[in-house]
Amino acid sequence: FSDICEKYKDFIILVSFGSPRRDVLDMKAEDNKYLHRDFHLGADAALLYCGTKFGDETVREFLTEYTKNYYAPVIKKIKENGLSEIKSWIERTYEIEEASELLHTDISENALTVIVDKSPVIEYMRSLNQQPSKYYIEQTRTLYAAIANECGYKFELEYYKDDGAAK
């Protein structure tokens, strides 16, 4: 058994159904389809805890600092390439989420308008009988405001509806 564990140490799941026989399933992260929606479920729970325990402003401060650090490579590219980089980044995100049809973008020399018909994450949450917390909007408002601010742009969230439709 230790030989098997050593051979498949990257990732092993042992499955037993009440018999002494054990099957070894060798899986790696890349074997599974990744959808970013699950990240947002955990993030929303963490923001709810943070906001309940420490207040609304702490949520925004945390997300701003997180965004500036985690997205530093994206911010660097945006500073180098301008609004078209933001547009490409958002479009790639929605492609990965298999939700490109929900995204509409329009870019001009000094403005990028992004319209989202509805949030695939909120739809996913509701399919699991979960409701987004009051802090869920901050994953849009604070994140994009922080990125825009770091890049010398202004961010405006004109509307954000219950289903995550936004402009």
Side-chain angles (χ1 to χ4, degrees), residues 7-65:
K7 183 177 179 184
Y8 297 104
K9 65 184 173 192
D10 289 334
F11 192 76
I12 294 178
I13 298 176
L14 295 177
V15 181
S16 175
F17 295 101
S19 70
R21 179 176 166 241
R22 296 202 180 221
D23 295 320
V24 177
L25 179 62
D26 179 21
M27 295 180 68
K28 294 180 177 56
E30 60 268 13
D31 295 336
N32 297 305
K33 182 174 168 181
Y34 172 75
L35 291 176
H36 193 65
R37 298 170 193 167
D38 288 320
F39 166 80
H40 285 284
L41 293 176
D44 191 46
L47 293 178
L48 178 60
Y49 173 81
C50 182
T52 302
K53 190 90 169 153
F54 304 106
D56 297 0
E57 188 55 33
T58 302
V59 169
R60 288 186 287 277
E61 287 173 10
F62 167 76
L63 280 173
T64 298
E65 290 306 310

Side-chain angles (χ1 to χ4, degrees), residues 69-89:
N69 287 282
Y70 183 79
Y71 290 103
V74 173
I75 291 168
K76 182 177 185 257
K77 286 182 180 180
I78 293 167
K79 287 179 177 179
E80 292 168 357
N81 302 314
L83 291 173
S84 63
E85 187 67 38
I86 298 174
K87 180 180 179 287
S88 296
W89 175 62

